[in-house]
Structure formats: C-alpha cells, structure tokens
Amino acid sequence: MPKALFILTSHDTLGDTGKPTGFYWEELAAPYWILSDAGWQIELASIKGGKPPADPSSAEGDAMTDEVRRLLADEAVMNKLENTTKVEDVEVSGCDIVFLPGGHGTMWDLPNSKALGDLLGRAFDKGAVVGAVCHGPAGLLSARLASGDPLVHGRRVAGFTNSEEDAVGLSDVVPFMLEDQLKAQGGHHQKGPDWQPFAVADGNLVTGQNPTSSAEVARLMLKAADLPAAP
C-alpha cells in the first residue's frame, strides 16, 4: 500500500491578535479522502506532535464541507489526529507523497522548522511527490535540496496570494506575504482568480492557491505519483 505523510502546523495564535488559528479543515479533509479512497495509507505528523490546533473558522458555514464532516465523524482518523507524530521523529523514507495542508498557523512554525526543511529536501531529492496548499507552501521555504538550492527555485509554484491575504485583512498580521517569499526564493509564482480553484504541478512539486484548490492538489499529487486518482 502506498504511503502519504501529511504534516500539520502546531501554531495556534494569529500573531499578536490573540485570535486562534491552526490548520484549515478542508485542506486536510479533501486530500485525505481522495488519497485514502485511492488506496493510500496516510500518516499524520505535526511540528510539535500530539494534537495540532485547527482554525475554528474552518469548521463554520461554507467551510464545513462534506469531506470535513466525513473526517470529523471518522473515529479512527480523529484518533490519529489526536496523536500526530512530531516531525523530528518521522521516518520519511517509505513515503511516496509528503503533503502540507494550510491554515494561517503554518506561516509561523513551518518556515522555521529545520526538521521539516530537511525532511522535505530529502523526500524531494529521492523522488517523492511534495505537495502543499494555500498557506502550506510556507513550509517549502524551509526546504533545501542536496544541491543547496531552495526547493521552489526555478519551479512553478502556487500559494495563497497577496490579494487574498489583503481580502481577509491579515496582511499586517502574518509574518510575511507568502506570494512574495515564494518569488524571493526563485519560484515561478502562478495564480488564478481569487478564491477559485487553482493548482499547478511542476514535476514532483504540486501546489495550490487556496482552500478550494485542495482537491485538485490531491488529484495532481496522485498523477505525479503515477497512481490513479479516485473517481
């Protein structure tokens, strides 16, 4: 059975605002079920291990998708989520896909995790598919390849855009603008209209722009891994 590793943020506060954040449910749930239904074994890890924080707004209103409901109702998955492996303790050698769901929490801890950067660099160098969606590509900023180059350097990459960050009113709260930093590391940033699904694959790197891009990122990861996607 092919194996995928999902790595989540452990950061739970939006800067100095005191407001809660974390990972975004849809960005975990949609890829989880697309890969799981296609026969993949999925392991969950986080920066600190244990139970990662979820952004409460991602379980409200239109954000509460059928995939999120399915995840929340699945006792086995929720038990895995309560007990994620610390990223420093993860063995990545058996994983064919490594995926970073987003949520604003990722902007604080993923780029500053040397363990995550080392893991992503090793995975990509050995041919694993590395994927990320929305703010998840912030984790790619910590990754260097054996050549010394940033993982995103010279590659087409998507992520939460400056205009989308402006629209949610958090441009002055986040520690950096993700679109700008992906470009600063030599990534060829691509984007679609705000809030519309947009994902791009460049070899074994698969990235998506926003929460609505999560399912397409999962399908492109399966294609890049050379296994069929679920219907």
Side-chain angles (χ1 to χ4, degrees):
M1 180 181 291
K3 184 187 297 184
L5 172 67
F6 286 25
I7 304 175
L8 297 157
T9 179
S10 295
H11 188 86
D12 63 1
T13 307
L14 274 172
D16 299 326
T17 67
K19 296 179 180 179
T21 190
F23 71 86
Y24 203 86
W25 278 111
E26 181 179 4
E27 297 165 29
L28 169 63
Y32 189 100
W33 292 122
I34 288 173
L35 268 65
S36 179
D37 292 345
W40 284 66
Q41 176 186 343
I42 299 172
E43 295 186 359
L44 299 180
S46 62
I47 299 300
K48 294 182 179 178
K51 182 180 179 180
D55 186 325
S57 70
S58 68
E60 300 173 349
D62 292 342
M64 180 61 83
T65 63
D66 289 343
E67 291 80 12
V68 174
R69 291 188 184 92
R70 181 182 173 190
L71 197 79
L72 292 171
D74 192 298
E75 185 176 343
V77 177
M78 295 307 290
N79 183 62
K80 284 203 295 185
L81 194 57
E82 289 273 348
N83 300 280
T84 67
T85 305
K86 187 177 181 181
V87 68
E88 292 174 355
D89 299 330
V90 168
E91 178 51 63
V92 74
S93 61
C95 297
D96 299 298
I97 288 176
V98 180
F99 173 63
L100 307 175
H104 272 93
T106 62
M107 295 284 283
W108 278 269
D109 59 352
L110 266 62
N112 295 311
S113 172
K114 184 178 185 302
L116 174 63
D118 290 347
L119 181 153
L120 293 173
R122 291 197 309 272
F124 195 84
D125 277 332
K126 81 175 187 66
V129 174
V130 172
V133 69
C134 199
H135 288 91
L140 303 176
L141 300 173
S142 63
R144 296 293 185 276
L145 304 181
S147 64
D149 288 335
L151 192 155
V152 301
H153 182 78
R155 294 182 172 87
R156 291 176 292 127
V157 61
F160 206 61
T161 63
N162 290 353
S163 56
E164 287 168 324
E165 202 71 84
D166 289 342
V168 297
L170 293 175
S171 296
D172 293 331
V173 174
V174 292
F176 56 88
M177 299 295 277
L178 181 56
E179 177 181 335
D180 293 345
Q181 286 304 306
L182 291 171
K183 292 176 179 177
Q185 287 200 359
H188 299 314
H189 187 269
Q190 298 189 328
K191 58 186 174 182
D194 287 359
W195 314 117
Q196 297 302 306
F198 182 84
V200 59
D202 191 330
N204 281 4
L205 178 63
V206 180
T207 47
Q209 180 172 322
N210 49 40
T212 66
S213 310
S214 301
E216 182 61 17
V217 167
R219 287 188 283 266
L220 288 175
M221 289 194 300
L222 285 179
K223 185 177 180 180
D226 201 30
L227 287 175

